[in-house]
Amino acid sequence: QVHLVESGGGLVQAGDSLRLSCAASERSSNTRTMGWFRQAPGKEREFVAAITWIDGNTDYAASVKGRFTISADSAKNTVYLQMNSLRPEDAALYYCAAGRPSVVHTVAGTYTYWGQGIRVTVSS
């Protein structure tokens, strides 16, 4: 069982930056791909960004490309999501996810393990 623990959320103003962290209990065939998803109230969960451990390939949702950066620290089994130029529409519960595929995936169903989620609030 893989455990994922998110941290770094909070309340910021529009235009500010925030960095989320996701610490994984293991780095194995179960966690080849790491992703971030988010869910705002009344909306479906949506893909934000993903990265693979083996080659560092990344993918981003169009809405965050150029503002958000996903990265991974293999020594710490931790994945980060650097969020810059935050907008009120970025406010959501952010989830870290891990999955077996060796290529990045944008579909939530691809991921097997999920964190509890962490709140990001952006005031205008």
Side-chain angles (χ1 to χ4, degrees):
Q1 183 73 16
V2 177
H3 295 284
L4 305 173
V5 179
E6 302 104 335
S7 61
L11 170 63
V12 296
Q13 292 187 332
D16 285 352
S17 298
L18 204 59
R19 189 178 78 159
L20 304 182
S21 300
C22 172
S25 60
E26 65 182 66
R27 190 159 65 91
S28 66
S29 59
N30 289 321
T31 62
R32 293 191 187 101
T33 298
M34 301 291 294
W36 287 97
F37 289 76
R38 67 187 182 187
Q39 187 167 18
K43 295 187 177 181
E44 294 186 353
R45 189 172 299 190
E46 64 174 0
F47 170 76
V48 176
I51 190 169
T52 54
W53 287 109
I54 191 168
D55 53 16
N57 278 346
T58 59
D59 196 7
Y60 296 91
S63 59
V64 306
K65 195 170 292 185
R67 299 188 298 123
F68 291 12
T69 302
I70 188 170
S71 61
D73 185 335
S74 59
K76 297 181 179 180
N77 284 357
T78 298
V79 173
Y80 303 97
L81 184 67
Q82 177 67 42
M83 304 184 294
N84 298 329
S85 302
L86 282 162
R87 305 166 180 170
E89 55 264 37
D90 294 318
L93 197 59
Y94 282 71
Y95 294 91
C96 177
R100 293 180 61 84
S102 57
V103 295
V104 289
H105 278 270
T106 64
V107 178
T110 304
Y111 295 82
T112 306
Y113 303 99
W114 292 82
Q116 293 296 310
I118 192 162
R119 178 74 58 187
V120 172
T121 304
V122 184
S123 62
S124 58

